[in-house]
Amino acid sequence: MKLLSFVFLIIGIFLMMFFNSSYDTQYTSYKTLKSQSKELKESIKRGNTVYSDFCVSCHLPNGNGVNKIYPPLANSDYLEANRYASIKGLKFGLKGKIKVNGVEYNKYMPPMGLSAEEIADVMNYMNHSWGNTFGKIVTVVEVSAIK
């Protein structure tokens, strides 16, 4: 009985650590945040919530994805170089081959049904988390313009 309780305790601790996605413990660099505008900081906070609700199950809390199945977002050359395509993929889904950090991925990502604000926020979160520092703020106007 003690062994079973211990196993459940260990599993519970692991799950709490793995799925803990509160903003205070996430991978966003606070040094990066300090240098950003208030608007971007607030967008990143909202984007963390969107990421936790819609993206974390495939791309994982650390943004590393699953090799050859779900591409990484952390240190992602694709995310950095393909801003328009990344936003369009979130908006309308993504299918077909893409190459991320030299690895080919060809798994369908369905559209998540996110609003333009949610897409902008989650893009800002991904672009400024896990060591990423990918450019200027993504806006609702920019997302809405993508057809």
Side-chain angles (χ1 to χ4, degrees):
M1 186 66 173
K2 286 184 180 183
L3 178 61
L4 186 58
S5 295
F6 179 74
V7 168
F8 282 121
L9 177 66
I10 297 298
I11 291 171
I13 290 170
F14 171 77
L15 289 174
M16 284 178 13
M17 289 171 47
F18 186 77
F19 289 107
N20 183 1
S21 62
S22 72
Y23 183 73
D24 294 332
T25 60
Q26 209 33 267
Y27 299 90
T28 303
S29 165
Y30 288 99
K31 288 181 182 176
T32 299
L33 277 178
K34 284 182 182 179
S35 68
Q36 301 300 336
S37 70
K38 182 179 178 184
E39 180 184 9
L40 179 56
K41 289 177 191 178
E42 291 173 2
S43 178
I44 290 169
K45 287 180 184 180
R46 291 188 306 267
N48 175 50
T49 301
V50 175
Y51 185 85
S52 296
D53 290 344
F54 292 92
C55 312
V56 75
S57 61
C58 297
H59 297 284
L60 305 181
N62 60 9
N64 286 332
V66 178
N67 194 33
K68 298 184 182 179
I69 300 173
Y70 303 114
L73 302 171
N75 300 308
S76 168
D77 61 353
Y78 182 87
L79 186 61
E80 184 174 18
N82 297 283
R83 180 179 173 109
Y84 178 90
S86 297
I87 295 169
K88 188 173 182 179
L90 281 170
K91 192 170 184 176
F92 300 111
L94 182 65
K95 62 182 177 180
K97 295 178 184 177
I98 62 169
K99 192 175 268 191
V100 181
N101 300 340
V103 178
E104 191 171 279
Y105 293 87
N106 192 13
K107 188 143 177 97
Y108 175 64
M109 183 180 83
M112 300 291 153
L114 301 173
S115 70
E117 182 180 36
E118 290 171 320
I119 292 170
D121 290 342
V122 79
M123 282 295 300
N124 287 320
Y125 173 73
M126 293 183 303
N127 286 347
H128 295 90
S129 296
W130 317 294
N132 295 345
T133 54
F134 301 153
K136 64 180 183 158
I137 188 170
V138 175
T139 66
V140 172
V141 172
E142 180 180 7
V143 173
S144 297
I146 295 175
K147 304 290 183 204

